[in-house]
Amino acid sequence: MSFGIILATHAHVGEAMLEAAEMLAGKQERVRALSLTPDTTVSEFEDQLVCAYDELAATYDHVVALCDIYGGSPFNVISRIKLAGRELTAFTGVSLPVLIELLFSGNLTVDQVRTAVENAAANAVREIVVELAEDSDDDVDLDL
């Protein structure tokens, strides 16, 4: 099943994430990045989100919404449009690894999207541990 993606964030976080993801995945016609800025009212943002949803829902089997902060205005707007009857699968705490996972996942069912997001989020934050390789040469190699 094909799915469209809405990135709903404060400032231009979603737009920057999409730009970064497109460096790896190429241009993404199925993603809409919406930004709640100081110049945008919540009502205007909601109108933009509804338009993006309607556009994607007309083209794809389902729509996935990713927002930045639990309880923030984008979260609240997504919650309102879900309560109004629009069917979408929504997650908070969006990250670049989650977005990239979805872009490279191809056609997924709603349950498969849930699993992909959960797995990507669980593996997204890791400590970087670097050790010097034991070597008798003067060259220093990193053993990653």
Side-chain angles (χ1 to χ4, degrees), residues 3 16 19 28 31 43 52 71 78 83 100 106-107 114 120 125:
F3 60 96
E19 182 180 354
Q28 297 296 311
V31 181
S43 178
I78 289 170
L83 288 171
I100 290 169
N107 296 332
R114 287 185 183 108
V125 178

Side-chain angles (χ1 to χ4, degrees), residues 5 15 23 28 36 39-40 48 56-57 62 70 75 83 91 93 104 132 136:
I5 301 170
E15 292 167 5
M23 289 179 67
Q28 297 296 311
L36 180 61
D39 298 332
T40 308
Q48 292 170 9
L56 292 170
H62 60 279
Y70 182 88
F75 170 93
L83 288 171
F91 301 90
F104 281 113
L132 292 177
S136 61

Side-chain angles (χ1 to χ4, degrees), residues 23-123:
M23 289 179 67
L24 299 169
K27 182 73 175 149
Q28 297 296 311
E29 298 299 326
R30 65 184 176 126
V31 181
R32 304 295 179 272
L34 306 176
S35 299
L36 180 61
T37 65
D39 298 332
T40 308
T41 67
V42 173
S43 178
E44 291 169 335
F45 185 75
E46 186 167 350
D47 291 344
Q48 292 170 9
L49 206 141
V50 167
C51 287
Y53 171 84
D54 290 344
E55 180 184 334
L56 292 170
T59 305
Y60 299 96
D61 297 318
H62 60 279
V63 177
V64 175
L66 304 171
C67 68
D68 51 3
I69 301 171
Y70 182 88
S73 294
F75 170 93
N76 292 330
V77 168
I78 289 170
S79 297
R80 273 198 299 277
I81 72 165
K82 285 179 65 92
L83 288 171
R86 288 183 171 77
E87 294 184 29
L88 70 153
T89 307
F91 301 90
T92 186
V94 65
S95 68
L96 187 56
V98 168
L99 177 58
I100 290 169
E101 176 66 28
L102 290 179
L103 295 181
F104 281 113
S105 292
N107 296 332
L108 299 177
T109 66
V110 172
D111 287 337
Q112 290 170 325
V113 166
R114 287 185 183 108
T115 300
V117 169
E118 289 170 4
N119 290 339
N123 292 306

